[in-house]
Amino acid sequence: MRLSPDHLITFSVVAQLGSVTDAARHLNLSQSSVSAQLKLLQRQTGQALYDRHSHGVTLTAAGLELLPHAQAVASHAARAAETVARLGGVPARTVRLGLSHALAGAAARLARSGLGPGAPQRAVRVISGLSANLTEQVRAGQLDAAIVVDTGPTVPAPLESRVIGEDTLILCVHPGHPLAPLGYVAPHSLERETFLWPSPGSGVRRHAQRLLALAGVVPDSELELGSLFAVHEALLDAQGVAILTRGFVHRAAQSGALRALGLEAPQVSVPLLLITPPAGTLSPERRAFLSRLPAALAPDPPPEGAAR
């Protein structure tokens, strides 16, 4: 039995996106063409590979077993296309890099790191978002890689992750807040503060709430504001306090717009994770780009004479 590579590639995209409609759009095919390819693949394998329902497509046990092989075919086809383009002198496509909102200050450095001497890509596109959403976009093939501060309990298969840097949790307050003159604060002294939170999908929030839970702290008052940027604005308006990463508030703290206080707690380090497809599916160009990222994450040195 010989399976069609085109059918396997279509199957892998449908599985990744969970929708025939989205897969058709991604592949620039009609929905009827995608459906026909899936039916032919099922007929060739003699197995029910998926179930269609009102919310999309769910793989059966047989489909889940076939999926890694279909993904391997899709990855090899993509690498072959990149190789042919490179041999023909065609520049590689834009690299799509996901970046946690907490790392917004490093976006320009990370983008520039992919455009240095000898870099094969024409452009680097940085897409900011919540850690959980970015991880899912890498899994779906919508991003080439992502740098996040948390992936939840596990990294979804078949993705891989590795630590390429770290940041530090700090308490951020308005300069007029009573705690502002302090250098460090203990978590147990914060129970009566109003905590400002980004949405639950934020990796920074998960790390911060874990720190408070380990210290036995249950805030009396909490406001959920949607994004780290909304939290930043609320801090500027003195609406409460927030546990954020030092890198995220670096410039505001350096300018005096906000105060960054150390936390007297054992788990204040936040690993920065690089999320990628399986290493064996990455082209040499992609691996070269990813190897540049750790150095680009290093923070800018403070201006001469600035307080550290």
Side-chain angles (χ1 to χ4, degrees):
M1 175 179 60
R2 184 178 183 277
L3 302 181
S4 164
D6 286 340
H7 296 171
L8 289 168
I9 292 171
T10 297
F11 173 71
S12 74
V13 174
V14 171
Q16 288 175 343
L17 300 181
S19 164
V20 170
T21 301
D22 291 344
R25 188 180 302 114
H26 180 84
L27 295 166
N28 198 26
L29 297 172
S30 67
Q31 291 186 46
S32 60
S33 177
V34 170
S35 296
Q37 289 189 39
L38 293 177
K39 289 178 182 177
L40 284 171
L41 184 61
Q42 286 199 133
R43 190 177 306 160
Q44 288 176 323
T45 61
Q47 300 287 331
L49 301 175
Y50 59 91
D51 294 316
R52 293 188 69 172
H53 45 77
S54 59
H55 300 294
V57 173
T58 302
L59 298 190
T60 63
L64 289 171
E65 192 168 344
L66 178 63
L67 181 59
H69 304 288
Q71 289 174 325
V73 171
S75 296
H76 285 299
R79 292 174 63 190
E82 286 191 358
T83 298
V84 170
R86 186 177 70 253
L87 292 174
V90 179
R93 64 178 175 82
T94 298
V95 173
R96 302 160 301 173
L97 177 67
L99 195 63
S100 166
H101 286 315
L103 299 170
R109 289 198 306 274
L110 289 164
R112 287 197 305 268
S113 73
L115 299 174
Q121 52 275 344
R122 290 175 294 178
V124 177
R125 183 184 177 198
V126 176
I127 297 94
S128 295
L130 297 172
S131 295
N133 294 347
L134 295 174
T135 300
E136 178 57 28
Q137 288 175 46
V138 176
R139 189 193 68 79
Q142 297 165 353
L143 294 174
D144 296 301
I147 304 175
V148 302
V149 298
D150 196 305
T151 61
T154 58
V155 177
L159 301 182
E160 297 179 359
S161 71
R162 63 185 177 94
V163 177
I164 62 169
E166 69 173 30
D167 207 334
T168 305
L169 293 176
I170 51 89
L171 182 76
C172 199
V173 301
H174 186 273
H177 192 282
L179 294 174
L182 303 179
Y184 286 83
V185 294
H188 64 76
S189 67
L190 303 174
E191 286 185 330
R192 296 190 178 182
E193 299 291 343
T194 296
F195 272 81
L196 308 173
W197 296 114
S199 67
S202 164
V204 171
R205 175 173 175 168
R206 281 195 291 269
H207 277 281
Q209 290 183 320
R210 197 175 303 145
L211 181 149
L212 292 179
L214 288 172
V217 175
V218 180
D220 286 346
S221 177
E222 299 177 286
L223 295 176
E224 186 174 303
L225 302 177
S227 74
L228 288 174
F229 302 106
V231 170
H232 184 273
E233 290 301 310
L235 286 167
L236 293 174
D237 288 337
Q239 298 299 310
V241 304
I243 296 179
L244 302 172
T245 52
R246 188 175 296 279
F248 181 72
V249 299
H250 171 69
R251 294 191 185 280
Q254 194 175 63
S255 69
L258 294 174
R259 284 281 291 146
L261 310 178
L263 287 162
E264 295 174 348
Q267 296 192 7
V268 295
S269 293
V270 177
L272 305 179
L273 303 175
L274 176 64
I275 309 298
T276 67
T281 68
L282 295 173
S283 68
E285 292 80 11
R286 294 295 175 269
R287 287 197 295 271
F289 168 73
L290 296 177
S291 70
R292 299 170 180 244
L293 297 180
L297 277 175
D300 290 328
E304 187 175 348
R308 293 180 178 271

